[in-house]
Amino acid sequence: MNLSQALLTALKDHGAREIFGIPGDFALGFFRQVEESGILPLYTLSHEPGVGFAADASARFNSRLGVAAVTYGAGALNMVNSVASAYAEKVPLVVISGAPGAGERRNGLLLHHQTKTLDSQLAMFREITCDQVVLDDPKRAPADIARVLRSCLTHSLPVYIELPRDLVTAPCAAVGMNPVPGYDRDALDACVRELLDRLRAAQAPMLMVGIEIKRFGIEEKVAKLARLLNLPVVTSFMGRGLLADADALLLGTYLGVAGAPDITHAVESSDALLMLGVILSDTNFGVSEQKIDMRKSILALDGRVTMGYHMYPNMPLEALVDGLLERAQRLRNVALESGGGVAPHVYPHGLQADEESIAPMDIARAVNDLMAESGRMPIASDIGDCLFTALDIENTALVAPGYYATMGYGVPAGLGLQAGDGQRPLILVGDGAFQMTGWELGNCQRYGWDPIVIVFNNCSWEMLRTFQPESGFNNLSDWHFADMAGPLGGQGYRVSTRRELGEALRQAHRTRGKFQLIEAMIPRGVLSDTLVRFVSGVRRLQQAPQQ
């Protein structure tokens, strides 16, 4: 076995099921090994940011390792934004970069793709990964690979592996699997007892779920826990799409002043809000109607549990949920018993097939109508009003950069989703983001991918305009994306009325084997109701006097 084969086998043993990449001279040898070994399938895309986003989405959707392979310098540095997004949103992404060989390092010449020093790239990736290794010693490589992959899974964060090109085929022993880190079971017992005591003493306990329950693959366990404890459930903004297929009292998504008032009131007035895997970010809590009292809340995140002034370190989320399941009993929930509980959110249906222009809410209605007739589809959404519109679509699996908020995620994420799982995705993307990475759709014909893509085309960076409407630089040209679908191997529809939208969506759903692009022309200034409320909440908080 050589070093590349050992690495590929270890990736597969740790849960990876495919590699996304773009070759380059420092990585050509490794890519040959990937192709010839057949250990993992390889999907090449057109631009490194898309590679990172595709691997990220596959990891998110399937709760397993995602893998992105690139060349040194111009390849890896081009993917920094994608990896930063994965780090911010806690995605177990493995970055593999080719690198100069030992002889090249000693020849005294500056090497192409080099920045300040040959190790500058490694230094940069230290900031956006939780563990790193340069595989410059084949004898030490098995232990190093095992350590880094265990770090990736344990922390659900990206890791970085650098492979010098002169060691790609060096002899190497097989890689083992490091054990899952242990924890103090007595501390876990104490934590579970205190947590359950707090819930029992509460009048209106509630559960909020966040992205970590997906990252660690424990959605079913959390749904069971919610049923056993008699807890109503909401998702955080970043956790939208969680528990979509679970049997739990899922009310909807907490959005503060941008969301349903009854859900907002229930969350913010809960006297025991149990938050499992919820990141305390501005996108999750920045538009709260009233500040949530963390002294009455219970936060399980980043391997620790915080309750009031007590903190339990080294407390893995799955171990906590398992401990709660062992001791769970149905709780008395005064809010539910009194009839004051919140009803599940009702999503809009019934698109009017008329000649009125298209608004984002019409897209939500059209998608809801389609899914009611033909079944749910997983969604990959970019940032912007397309993501806020997704919140008005019936709860279904969703991947989106809700916290890091990078543009360009949606299209390559949808490709990564279909490559990693096989399901046909629905991709929601604005015209500005589509200009960045929409061209990755041209790769669908090589792999048989056939996503349905809805482009929200208002010829504008419309979400930015909501915060600074006087700026002319938010205006974009009309690129006629639907006309480009055919040459890229797909089929395009340019629609301007609600009737055309409904017809195009039904036709796109019926057509398989090539991607379907629906270019929905939306007048400038027409926003989803949720985005209007969100922007209003942000402005109100910005204008509020500082305490």
Side-chain angles (χ1 to χ4, degrees), residues 153 350 358:
L153 292 171
I358 298 169

Side-chain angles (χ1 to χ4, degrees), residues 377-395:
M377 300 175 68
I379 295 175
S381 177
D382 221 289
I383 199 66
D385 207 5
C386 55
L387 178 53
F388 286 95
T389 299
L391 301 177
D392 283 312
I393 294 174
E394 292 277 0
N395 198 36

Side-chain angles (χ1 to χ4, degrees), residues 125 142 220 289 334 403 472 497 507:
F125 273 88
E220 290 185 7
E289 188 169 34
V334 174
Y403 164 45
T497 69
Q507 178 61 36

Side-chain angles (χ1 to χ4, degrees), residues 231-252:
L231 292 176
V233 186
V234 296
T235 75
S236 65
F237 176 70
M238 289 179 63
R240 174 67 175 183
L242 293 173
L243 305 181
D245 299 314
D247 179 17
L249 181 54
L250 182 61
L251 304 179

